[in-house]
Amino acid sequence: MELKFENLTKRFKETAAVDGVSFAFTGGVYGLLGVNGAGKTTLMRMLCTLIRPTSGTISWNGRDIFAMDTQYRALLGYLPQDFGFYPDFTVDDYLGYVASIKGLRPAAARARSGELTRALGLEKYRSRKMKKLSGGMKRRVGIAQAMLNDPRILVLDEPTAGLDPGERIRLRNLLSELAGERIVLLSTHIVSDVAYIANQILLMKEGRIVRAGAPDVLTAALPVRVWRCEVARGEVERCLRKYRVSNVRTTPGGAQLRVLSEGTPLPGAAPEAATLEDVFLYHFGEKGDGEDASL
């Protein structure tokens, strides 16, 4: 089982949204991590055959996915950032409709829908109309439809958007259970979504994969050190301007900063173990949860 990108490029006029990406995926969970506009969605849309690359290839077990056509799409489950639905369909109606498009027989579709609605906490909402669901509930239905055909390749673009913390944990646990049987590619700018479940993380910036590896490998390879610094409250702004700061916590005596720096940034600074959040800050210059680095 191998899904392979070779020198994959997609240009829109003069802009390269994806620029010469090469990578081979085998079984497991892969986190595609980057800020908005890094090229993650364009890469996933090519992977799902929604758009064609300008150059380069995508292959499944050595076969070009565009030449495979429907054979490839039968292996695929996809949740885009925004998915369409008929607002007056119930959850059951919607899942049945998608299952019919995917070629599932009615009995198998009903059984699979039941499994997924239970796993995703949707069982008591099956007869509710889609337009009556919260944003998080709709997202869960979107995840269910992506998994209806028990895909070998599961592609999820920002799957936790609109989910509360408990729902995000439930989804991460479900993806962990699925990982051994398929390739799961999870695109996000939220570091915690991939830190605990991804076997490999790809850092994407300006259309390129700038780093790839297991989370512990990426943290070990961070070229700067992480320091805990205690400062007076009046010094916080100056430190934020001068250093890369991944966290600020107010203390009774001032503030505690988490600083990325090659050498000791401030007197009394103590070294800390690096996290994936620190790696994200180093490569992208902002926190991985969409917040400013000073928060």
Side-chain angles (χ1 to χ4, degrees):
M1 181 169 61
E2 183 185 64
L3 180 66
K4 192 173 185 179
F5 299 159
E6 292 186 274
N7 200 29
L8 192 64
T9 297
K10 180 62 179 179
R11 303 189 72 88
F12 296 99
K13 296 184 179 179
E14 299 303 313
T15 301
V18 174
D19 190 5
V21 169
S22 297
F23 195 81
F25 302 85
T26 54
V29 178
Y30 294 81
L32 184 60
L33 196 57
V35 298
N36 292 329
K40 305 187 302 298
T41 295
T42 300
L43 185 69
M44 290 188 143
R45 286 173 61 81
M46 286 191 286
L47 171 58
C48 295
T49 70
L50 297 174
I51 56 175
R52 285 183 173 269
T54 304
S55 60
T57 60
I58 308 172
S59 61
W60 169 254
N61 292 335
R63 299 176 63 192
D64 183 275
I65 66 169
F66 292 94
M68 290 178 68
D69 197 25
T70 56
Q71 283 183 296
Y72 174 74
R73 282 191 284 275
L75 304 170
L76 189 67
Y78 176 46
L79 173 66
Q81 281 184 297
D82 299 300
F83 71 97
F85 56 85
Y86 293 105
D88 286 318
F89 273 18
T90 66
V91 171
D92 266 350
D93 290 339
Y94 175 71
L95 293 177
Y97 169 70
V98 175
S100 68
I101 293 174
K102 294 188 175 189
L104 274 69
R105 293 181 177 178
R110 286 192 296 271
R112 183 66 174 156
S113 294
E115 292 172 10
L116 291 169
T117 51
R118 284 191 295 274
L120 290 164
L122 290 166
E123 196 167 20
K124 64 181 179 181
Y125 302 101
R126 292 177 63 172
S127 60
R128 185 171 295 186
K129 289 186 176 181
M130 292 290 291
K131 67 183 179 182
K132 298 289 187 180
L133 298 178
S134 68
M137 289 289 182
K138 289 174 184 171
R139 203 69 184 158
R140 281 193 257 173
V141 176
I143 293 163
Q145 66 79 27
M147 296 170 59
L148 274 170
N149 59 326
D150 196 20
R152 300 294 303 280
I153 306 164
L154 181 60
V155 181
L156 305 173
D157 195 358
E158 301 287 354
T160 62
L163 300 185
D164 64 33
E167 291 170 330
R168 286 166 62 184
I169 291 169
R170 182 187 293 118
L171 174 61
R172 292 202 301 258
N173 291 342
L174 179 62
L175 293 179
S176 293
E177 293 172 12
L178 294 171
E181 307 168 5
R182 70 199 79 219
I183 294 168
V184 179
L185 182 57
L186 169 64
S187 168
T188 185
H189 63 282
I190 302 173
V191 174
S192 60
D193 281 349
V194 295
Y196 299 108
I197 64 168
N199 307 101
Q200 294 278 316
I201 291 175
L202 289 72
L203 301 180
M204 191 167 188
K205 184 176 183 179
E206 297 176 351
R208 294 177 176 268
I209 302 299
V210 294
R211 287 287 186 279
D216 58 342
V217 172
L218 292 177
T219 54
L222 187 65
V224 296
R225 299 184 70 182
V226 182
W227 305 87
R228 185 182 70 252
C229 304
E230 305 284 346
V231 300
R233 196 163 300 176
E235 290 293 301
V236 172
E237 287 300 322
R238 183 185 68 83
C239 291
L240 291 176
R241 290 193 298 269
K242 186 173 181 180
Y243 302 110
R244 288 181 176 176
V245 179
S246 64
N247 196 64
V248 178
R249 188 177 71 182
T250 301
T251 63
Q256 185 180 95
L257 310 183
R258 188 176 178 87
V259 176
L260 275 61
S261 176
E262 292 183 8
T264 308
L266 295 165
E272 295 260 290
T275 66
L276 197 59
E277 188 77 58
D278 299 316
V279 174
F280 192 101
L281 174 65
Y282 177 80
H283 287 288
F284 300 106
E286 57 185 90
K287 293 187 71 179
D289 55 5
E291 297 176 354
D292 186 87
S294 64
L295 298 180

